[in-house]
């Protein structure tokens, strides 16, 4: 039975109907209505005068000042929330897509529900003083996520955290890795989303009181409140989002308001925006066909949205910035790939998104992630390659791997973590230092840098004697140490996410999910290549430990040749794959909060520097205090057989052991791809095709 309202009928005019009309199902709407585009980039428009004036004003008035200060400004009086701030604008020209996190561009809001200590430190580092009344509230009257975490932390967690064998835990800031389906705001309007959540809340009947029943109802109540706040925030800009969007401009605006609600209320480690192009393109195509929009206008709308995404800011400490090698927020926008029925999800708006890198210039945010497949339309592949060569601002991931496991409406949270949009969320877990764990195994739980006994005395026997290390003995001790490290890690993650749900719940993001969702626990490891190479050295060369006066192994004398991971040599590559498999198997042995599905990433795109600083010397020659290689990359300088060989080595890691993603970062200079632009584009497309075909195998 058709239950559409007159408002919905007008907003949905011209759209093919389906189950999406009666139930919240954005994917069904996209599948029935989007138009694949197989042409080239000739139709694209450059920036309008309004776009250039807005961007120039932003650069001259705000961005240049921020670069000098590090932080442009901080609001110290107002705890952040969806509707906490008056409306703000970049300039008089800022009227295409409106909405700022606070009332001024780049002014950062404090989010004390996650923890006061980090907020106060960040405020002082920005040269300002905290509001004493707000401080009193969040240290005396209102318990925070961070306070709860440290109330629950066990001595072994504190010891592992202090020793940096586990680093970057989200115990003082928002966990992130939750992608609200912001498209729902545009397609359905907030009132229908509220009705859906009300129905879900009351549909669960308790057989007597239970903690699950109470939490389910409470969380849904918080989601409903958040949706109501979202309407209030939008209304402050003079916009009513109670009903569905009726134009392309409204579809983008409504969608952005959903995302804006999230970044106004949470400072997650990754606040990705999801997969928007196919959805938004449906509205653009309808308006273009009706003559109510031009291509210049369409590009101006996308440019305006991307400007907003480029100026997302969170209040962070300098220590946080060191962990992540900067001030990232990963507003990742996933694009392209294929539908399950074989149609490419490349639209004209996919091109418009990439065009922003020309119209506005290169930028790290939003992190544009293309789901690559060698069967994507040639025109799109060539445009991706051209923009990559010009800007170095596109990330590529395997569409087949993601689609086979997570479906054709998946998106990336952060860098490489895929999930079904609106149907899945992740408990983000930072990562363990798998490399340092090897040194702990050799030293019986003593830290190779400080000499402290981090594990309980006598719990782990160190390697003894002055002779060469025996591979089987070291591997056995490494496995035992991993049991302790991973058990400690999972214990910490369970505590963190229990506390986060209780004291810093992401109400608006979860309001834009189904009521019953998939939860994963996103674990990860750092230092894979160093462990693989060090174990390879122990197995294939002769490694003699060097001890200090206390008997602590602080260095290694390695004699002879040994294979290194990253050169398509099965001897080393199999060790790396075994490490990833072993760690994942041990993660699965632990109980996870809310029965989450365990996943693992081989990531560390940024935090590899921090991990290296806290770690000692290795048998493979890696020196104390120096950065790890990023993600699943071979050790710095160890890959001597070229990029294809390193891709083949990484391809041997089993994706089922690392469903949270595997990262390989390669650097290519344009001149290395060919003499002419045409050659460079063709060769880059060829490399991407070859790499992801190998990945499929």
């Amino acid at each position: 039975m058709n239950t559409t309202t007159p408002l919905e009928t007008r907003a949905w005019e011209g759209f093919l109907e389906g189950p999406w009309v009666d139930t919240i199902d954005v994917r069904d709407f996209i599948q029935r209505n989007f138009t694949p585009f197989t042409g080239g980039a000739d139709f694209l428009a450059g920036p309008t005068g309004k776009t250039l004036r807005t961007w120039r004003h932003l650069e001259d008035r705000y961005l240049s000042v921020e670069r000098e200060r590090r932080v442009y400004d901080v609001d110290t009086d107002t705890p952040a929330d969806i509707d906490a701030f008056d409306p703000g604008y970049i300039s008089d020209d800022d009227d295409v897509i409106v909405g700022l996190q606070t009332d001024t561009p780049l002014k950062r809001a404090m989010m004390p529900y996650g923890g006061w200590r980090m907020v106060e430190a960040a405020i002082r580092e920005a040269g300002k003083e905290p509001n004493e009344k707000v401080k009193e509230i969040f240290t005396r009257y209102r318990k925070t996520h961070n306070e709860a975490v440290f109330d629950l932390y066990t001595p072994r967690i504190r010891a592992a955290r202090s020793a940096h064998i586990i680093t970057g835990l989200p115990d003082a800031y928002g966990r992130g890795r939750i992608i609200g389906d912001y498209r729902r705001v545009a397609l359905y309007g907030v009132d229908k989303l509220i009705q859906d959540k009300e129905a879900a809340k009351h549909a669960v009947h308790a057989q007597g009181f239970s903690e699950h029943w109470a939490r389910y109802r409470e969380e849904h109540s918080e989601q409903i409140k958040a949706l109501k706040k979202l309407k209030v925030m939008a209304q402050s800009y003079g916009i009513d989002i109670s009903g569905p969007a009726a134009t392309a401009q409204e579809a983008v605006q409504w969608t952005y308001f959903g995302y804006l609600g999230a970044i106004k209320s949470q400072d997650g480690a990754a606040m990705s925006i999801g997969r928007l192009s196919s959805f938004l393109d449906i509205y653009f195509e309808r308006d273009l066909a009706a003559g109510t929009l031009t291509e210049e206008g369409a590009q101006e709308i996308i440019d305006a949205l991307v400007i907003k995404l480029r100026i997302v800011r969170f209040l962070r400490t300098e220590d946080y910035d060191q962990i992540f090698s900067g001030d990232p927020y990963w507003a990742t926008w996933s694009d392209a790939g294929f539908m399950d029925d074989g149609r490419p999800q490349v639209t004209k708006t996919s091109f418009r998104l990439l065009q922003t890198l020309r119209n506005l210039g290169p930028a790290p945010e939003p992190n544009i992630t293309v789901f690559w497949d060698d069967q994507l339309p040639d025109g799109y592949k060539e445009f991706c390659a051209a923009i990559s060569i010009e800007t170095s601002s596109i990330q590529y991931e395997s569409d087949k791997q993601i689609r086979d496991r997570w479906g054709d409406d998946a998106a990336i949270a952060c860098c490489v973590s895929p999930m079904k949009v609106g149907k899945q969320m992740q408990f983000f877990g930072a990562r363990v230092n798998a490399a340092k764990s090897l040194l702990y195994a050799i030293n019986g739980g003593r830290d190779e840098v400080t000499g402290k006994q981090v594990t309980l005395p006598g719990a782990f026997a160190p390697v003894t004697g002055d002779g060469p290390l025996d591979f089987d003995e070291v591997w056995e001790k490494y496995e035992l140490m991993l049991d302790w490290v991973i058990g400690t890690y999972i214990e910490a993650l369970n505590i963190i996410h229990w506390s986060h749900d209780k004291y810093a719940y992401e109400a608006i993001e979860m309001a834009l999910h189904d009521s019953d969702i998939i939860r994963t626990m996103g674990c990860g490891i750092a230092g894979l290549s160093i462990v693989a190479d060090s174990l390879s050295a122990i197995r294939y060369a002769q490694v003699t430990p060097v001890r200090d006066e206390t008997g602590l192994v602080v260095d290694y004398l390695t004699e002879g040749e040994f294979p290194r991971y990253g050169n398509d040599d099965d001897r080393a590559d199999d060790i790396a794959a075994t490490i990833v498999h072993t760690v994942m198997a041990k993660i699965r042995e632990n109980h996870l909060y809310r029965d989450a599905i365990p996943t693992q990433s081989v990531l560390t795109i940024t935090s590899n520097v921090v991990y290296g600083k806290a770690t000692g010397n290795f048998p493979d020659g890696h020196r104390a205090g120096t950065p790890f290689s990023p993600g699943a990359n071979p050790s710095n300088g160890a890959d001597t057989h070229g990029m294809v060989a390193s891709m083949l080595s990484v391809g041997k890691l089993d994706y089922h052991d690392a469903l949270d993603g595997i990262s390989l970062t390669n650097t290519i200079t344009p001149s290395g791809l060919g003499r002419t632009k045409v050659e460079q584009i063709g060769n880059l497309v060829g490399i991407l095709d070859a790499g992801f075909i190998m990945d499929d195998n």
Side-chain angles (χ1 to χ4, degrees):
M1 183 176 67
N2 192 321
T3 58
T4 56
T5 66
L7 183 60
E8 289 169 340
T9 299
R10 291 194 299 273
W12 297 342
E13 184 178 357
F15 296 153
L16 295 177
E17 296 185 358
W20 65 270
V21 170
D22 298 311
T23 59
I24 307 298
D25 191 344
V26 177
R27 178 190 176 275
D28 181 67
F29 168 75
I30 294 170
Q31 188 178 42
R32 294 174 186 277
N33 288 282
F34 92 102
T35 304
F37 179 68
T38 58
D42 294 345
F43 73 94
L44 288 167
T48 64
K50 178 178 289 189
T51 296
L52 291 175
R53 288 193 302 272
T54 303
W55 187 244
R56 191 177 304 116
H57 182 85
L58 184 63
E59 170 62 37
D60 294 344
R61 175 66 179 83
Y62 298 102
L63 290 169
S64 60
V65 176
E66 182 184 61
R67 283 192 289 271
E68 294 176 3
R69 298 178 182 172
R70 177 179 168 270
V71 173
Y72 176 80
D73 195 9
V74 180
D75 186 293
T76 61
D77 300 321
T78 312
D81 203 351
I82 297 168
D83 58 350
F85 291 93
D86 290 336
Y89 301 87
I90 297 171
S91 66
D92 292 341
D93 284 310
D94 183 20
D95 60 1
V96 179
I97 299 298
V98 300
L100 299 176
Q101 285 175 284
T102 60
D103 56 358
T104 303
L106 305 185
K107 181 193 285 187
R108 305 183 189 218
M110 58 177 173
M111 299 187 179
Y113 295 98
W116 178 255
R117 287 182 296 177
M118 182 173 178
V119 167
E120 182 171 5
I123 289 173
R124 294 190 187 280
E125 288 172 359
K128 308 199 81 170
E129 291 295 318
N131 181 305
E132 290 300 318
K133 184 63 176 178
V134 176
K135 178 178 180 177
E136 181 184 17
I137 291 170
F138 286 95
T139 56
R140 184 173 179 181
Y141 301 110
R142 175 57 159 83
K143 191 168 187 175
T144 66
H145 160 236
N146 179 250
E147 183 183 357
V149 166
F150 278 86
D151 282 348
L152 294 174
Y153 268 173
T154 61
R156 73 172 184 169
I157 295 173
R158 289 174 179 264
R161 188 179 184 274
S162 177
H164 303 289
I165 198 165
I166 303 173
T167 299
L169 292 169
D171 52 16
Y173 57 91
R175 56 193 167 194
R177 300 283 185 95
I178 302 174
I179 307 174
D181 190 355
Y182 306 112
R183 306 167 302 185
R184 296 184 181 192
V185 180
L187 184 57
Y188 296 106
V190 173
D191 284 354
K192 187 161 186 170
L193 300 180
I194 291 173
Q195 293 170 9
D196 181 70
K197 290 297 179 180
E198 290 276 11
K201 173 184 174 181
H202 297 303
V204 176
H205 302 287
Q207 301 298 320
F209 182 87
S210 72
E211 189 172 338
H212 170 76
W213 173 83
R215 176 159 61 178
Y216 187 90
R217 288 183 62 81
E218 183 184 37
E219 287 182 349
H220 276 72
S221 293
E222 291 300 311
Q223 293 172 25
I224 291 164
K225 292 174 187 174
L227 288 167
K228 291 178 178 178
K229 289 179 181 179
L230 191 67
K231 287 177 60 177
V232 172
M233 182 267 286
Q235 191 60 57
S236 73
Y237 286 93
I239 298 173
D240 180 5
I241 61 172
S242 59
T247 67
Q249 185 275 334
E250 288 185 357
V252 175
Q253 180 69 73
W254 270 228
T255 300
Y256 172 63
F257 272 148
Y259 180 71
L260 184 59
I263 59 174
K264 276 176 170 283
S265 56
Q266 287 289 331
D267 63 342
M271 300 294 286
S272 301
I273 197 167
R275 196 167 185 170
L276 305 182
S277 295
S278 297
F279 173 78
L280 296 175
D281 195 75
I282 296 167
Y283 291 87
F284 282 118
E285 285 294 296
R286 187 180 64 173
D287 287 6
L288 286 164
T292 57
L293 183 68
T294 64
E295 183 54 43
E296 290 74 16
Q299 187 65 52
E300 183 179 68
I301 292 169
I302 295 298
D303 287 346
L305 174 60
V306 168
I307 287 174
K308 293 299 192 297
L309 299 182
R310 289 191 180 189
I311 59 173
V312 173
R313 295 293 187 272
F314 296 112
L315 182 63
R316 309 289 202 194
T317 62
E318 292 176 3
D319 284 345
Y320 177 96
D321 288 356
Q322 288 181 7
I323 292 175
F324 295 101
S325 299
D327 187 19
Y329 47 93
W330 290 291
T332 305
W333 182 323
S334 304
D335 210 346
F338 280 83
M339 296 292 291
D340 285 340
D341 61 15
R343 290 179 295 164
Q345 286 199 71
V346 174
T347 64
K348 287 186 175 180
T349 299
S350 302
F351 282 79
R352 295 178 186 118
L353 173 63
L354 299 184
Q355 179 74 351
T356 65
L357 293 167
R358 283 180 172 167
N359 288 356
L360 304 174
E365 299 289 353
N367 175 343
I368 298 175
T369 296
V370 171
F371 289 0
W372 189 272
D373 187 288
D374 66 301
Q375 297 301 310
L376 287 172
D378 289 339
Y380 180 70
K381 293 199 297 182
E382 291 166 3
F383 192 55
C384 284
I387 296 295
S388 286
I389 291 167
E390 292 173 21
T391 69
S392 190
S393 297
I394 306 176
Q395 175 176 284
Y396 297 95
E397 305 211 15
S398 168
D399 177 62
K400 186 176 187 303
Q401 291 281 23
I402 293 169
R403 182 162 38 86
D404 286 352
R405 185 62 179 81
W406 307 108
D408 61 8
D409 195 33
I412 298 298
C414 189
C415 306
V416 297
S417 304
M419 58 191 65
K420 298 180 179 181
V421 179
K423 300 180 180 300
Q424 179 181 343
M425 62 88 72
Q426 181 191 102
F427 295 134
F428 167 58
R431 49 201 59 87
V432 297
N433 193 331
K436 194 176 181 76
S437 300
L438 177 65
L439 303 184
Y440 272 39
I442 293 170
N443 279 311
R446 287 181 69 191
D447 191 274
E448 75 286 352
V449 176
T450 65
K452 291 181 179 179
Q453 183 69 46
V454 176
T455 65
L456 288 175
F460 299 95
V463 172
T464 58
D466 297 323
L469 296 174
D470 177 74
F471 177 86
D472 291 334
E473 179 188 7
V474 171
W475 178 258
E476 181 180 359
K477 291 182 181 299
Y478 185 49
E479 281 215 66
L480 291 172
M481 186 56 63
L482 285 175
D483 287 333
W484 182 86
V485 172
I486 291 168
T488 306
Y489 178 43
I490 297 300
E491 184 178 63
L493 294 184
N494 287 337
I495 288 170
I496 287 166
H497 293 295
W498 181 89
S499 302
H500 206 295
D501 275 349
K502 189 171 184 179
Y503 296 104
Y505 180 66
E506 301 92 339
I508 189 61
E509 291 163 271
M510 298 312 299
L512 299 173
H513 279 72
D514 292 353
S515 291
D516 295 307
I517 63 168
I518 300 167
R519 293 179 176 86
T520 62
M521 184 75 81
C523 306
I525 59 172
L528 172 64
S529 61
I530 298 172
V531 187
D533 287 353
S534 293
L535 288 169
S536 177
I538 294 169
R539 169 172 273 180
Y540 296 106
Q542 181 172 285
V543 177
T544 304
V546 177
R547 301 179 186 274
D548 67 8
E549 63 277 7
T550 70
L552 182 73
V553 177
V554 295
D555 206 350
Y556 302 87
L557 177 62
T558 301
E559 299 174 286
E561 299 296 322
F562 59 93
R564 289 179 178 269
Y565 164 72
N567 295 292
D568 192 25
D569 187 322
D570 287 344
R571 293 174 298 168
D573 297 345
D574 288 350
I575 292 174
T578 300
I579 293 164
V580 174
H581 177 77
T582 300
V583 170
M584 189 65 238
K586 293 182 182 299
I587 291 170
R588 291 190 179 106
E589 292 172 359
N590 290 268
H591 172 72
L592 301 180
Y593 171 63
R594 292 186 90 160
D595 297 320
I597 299 168
T599 62
Q600 179 180 205
S601 66
V602 188
L603 183 53
T604 59
I605 287 177
T606 52
S607 53
N608 49 297
V609 176
V610 172
Y611 282 102
K613 284 182 178 179
T615 308
N617 297 311
F618 283 89
D620 72 331
H622 187 91
R623 306 313 294 165
T626 58
F628 291 178
S629 60
N633 276 49
S635 289
N636 299 321
D639 50 331
T640 58
H641 288 61
M643 189 173 73
V644 173
S646 70
M647 295 171 77
L648 286 166
S649 290
V650 173
K652 294 172 190 175
L653 304 179
D654 191 339
Y655 181 58
H656 295 286
D657 288 329
L659 288 172
D660 197 41
I662 301 170
S663 169
L664 172 64
T665 305
N666 278 314
T667 300
I668 312 172
T669 59
S671 60
L673 290 168
R675 291 171 296 177
T676 67
K677 187 71 174 287
V678 172
E679 285 182 352
Q680 292 170 1
I681 291 171
N683 287 333
L684 181 54
V685 168
I687 289 171
L688 290 168
D689 282 347
F692 287 112
I693 289 172
M694 288 185 293
D695 175 70
D696 292 343
N697 293 331

